[in-house]
Amino acid sequence: MLFDSHAHIDDAKFDDDRAQVLSGLRRSGVGLMINAASDIRSSLESMRLAETYDNVYFAAGIHPQEADKASERDFAELERILEHPKCVAIGEIGLDYHYDEPAREVQRAVFYRQLKLSAAKSMPVVIHDRDAHAECLQAVKDTGARGVFHCFSGSAQTAAELVDLGFYISFSGVITFKNAKRAVEAAKAVPMDRILIETDSPYLAPEPFRGRRNEPKYVEYVARKLAEVKGVSFEDISSETFSNALRLFGIDSASL
Ligand code: NI
């Protein structure tokens, strides 16, 4: 069984077949999945999905692209949601300097606030880092927060530094793309006991589905590519990434 450590099944692209996708997870080889939120509304929707489906857990948080809309009420609501028994992380949170919108200082303030919250609550974070590698690294050093860098796009050197700090590194369908040299090099630098796999559905469908809507079942193609990169069997990468995710998110395998 595979663990899709990051998907957005609350996204409108699943409005027509959400129940089918989620109730079919096990049949398609996905044992567990984390639904990652981007704001308070999607945190609440993720919570509902986790309450409906046994094998769905969730992360609650405010994405950098939504940082300018976050109110004090949202932060109070977030703290309440984090108490939910199936909420296993704060995320996704981070910095996105690709579009430079909202303003960097707004993104930074919301990111730091949630990093501090995670350190205070000893809850892992799910970090979105786009074109902000140095600053994200500094932020997790400053706050002592720990967790996973999702859809990792940094260098092998940054990956190694994050692993030394205690972080997990998650790879997505990007690693299957023809020009994915950087992701492949980063994956080589991450020890087996720190690797996670994800789809980031509905985005980033792996080859041979690139450009189409992504689904949790395609996490298999990420696992196959990673097995090739690491020189291990598909079974080994599946079981290692599964137990890594259980460990990081504090999910008791006896409860499955
Ligand atoms: Ni995401």
Side-chain angles (χ1 to χ4, degrees):
M1 279 287 167
L2 296 162
F3 196 129
D4 184 358
S5 70
H6 191 111
H8 305 276
I9 311 302
D10 58 299
D11 190 281
K13 291 201 174 69
F14 290 101
D15 281 353
D16 292 337
D17 62 351
R18 185 171 294 109
Q20 255 166 286
V21 169
L22 290 175
S23 58
L25 283 177
R26 271 196 194 98
R27 235 174 310 134
S28 54
V30 179
L32 287 174
M33 192 203 96
I34 307 283
N35 205 76
S38 51
D39 59 11
I40 294 305
R41 212 188 108 201
S42 83
S43 296
L44 289 167
E45 275 165 26
S46 303
M47 181 171 91
R48 266 177 237 121
L49 295 179
E51 285 172 349
T52 311
Y53 299 94
D54 283 359
N55 46 355
V56 175
Y57 287 75
F58 74 106
I62 297 157
H63 189 282
Q65 298 300 128
E66 306 295 329
D68 54 334
K69 296 175 210 102
S71 65
E72 279 310 310
R73 231 175 106 184
D74 286 344
F75 284 105
E77 180 75 347
L78 175 60
E79 289 207 42
R80 197 184 66 80
I81 298 169
L82 294 180
E83 299 301 319
H84 191 281
K86 291 189 87 178
C87 184
V88 293
I90 302 182
E92 56 184 296
I93 65 174
L95 299 172
D96 192 321
Y97 291 170
H98 187 69
Y99 300 108
D100 258 326
E101 176 90 22
R104 291 186 177 193
E105 64 266 28
V106 175
Q107 295 191 34
R108 233 176 259 138
V110 170
F111 184 36
Y112 267 82
R113 187 161 174 174
Q114 294 177 100
L115 286 173
K116 286 178 192 154
L117 189 58
S118 100
K121 290 191 170 285
S122 305
M123 258 181 117
V125 285
V126 176
I127 295 182
H128 170 104
D129 161 15
R130 192 163 184 205
D131 299 343
H133 307 310
E135 261 200 65
C136 281
L137 182 62
Q138 191 57 49
V140 298
K141 282 182 182 167
D142 288 348
T143 55
R146 295 296 176 261
V148 57
F149 272 66
H150 109 87
C151 191
F152 188 71
S153 58
S155 64
Q157 196 200 326
T158 305
E161 237 185 294
L162 288 167
V163 165
D164 283 344
L165 286 173
F167 270 89
Y168 290 74
I169 307 291
S170 180
F171 294 95
S172 68
V174 169
I175 200 166
T176 68
F177 298 170
K178 280 193 186 69
N179 54 355
K181 228 180 125 200
R182 193 172 159 91
V184 166
E185 290 310 310
K188 286 183 187 161
V190 181
M192 281 289 277
D193 64 352
R194 296 295 188 79
I195 296 182
L196 300 188
I197 51 175
E198 66 172 283
T199 57
D200 205 17
S201 299
Y203 314 106
L204 300 174
E207 292 291 0
F209 308 103
R210 190 171 182 182
R212 310 239 297 262
R213 186 188 74 169
N214 201 1
E215 292 184 36
K217 66 182 176 191
Y218 297 152
V219 76
E220 179 191 335
Y221 294 84
V222 180
R224 290 204 184 279
K225 177 67 187 185
L226 260 179
E228 183 194 312
V229 169
K230 300 299 278 182
V232 300
S233 68
F234 175 70
E235 289 68 28
D236 282 347
I237 202 85
S238 306
S239 68
E240 284 266 0
T241 53
F242 200 98
S243 51
N244 292 344
L246 290 180
R247 193 184 322 118
L248 170 64
F249 295 117
I251 299 170
D252 181 3
S253 56
S255 72
L256 303 175

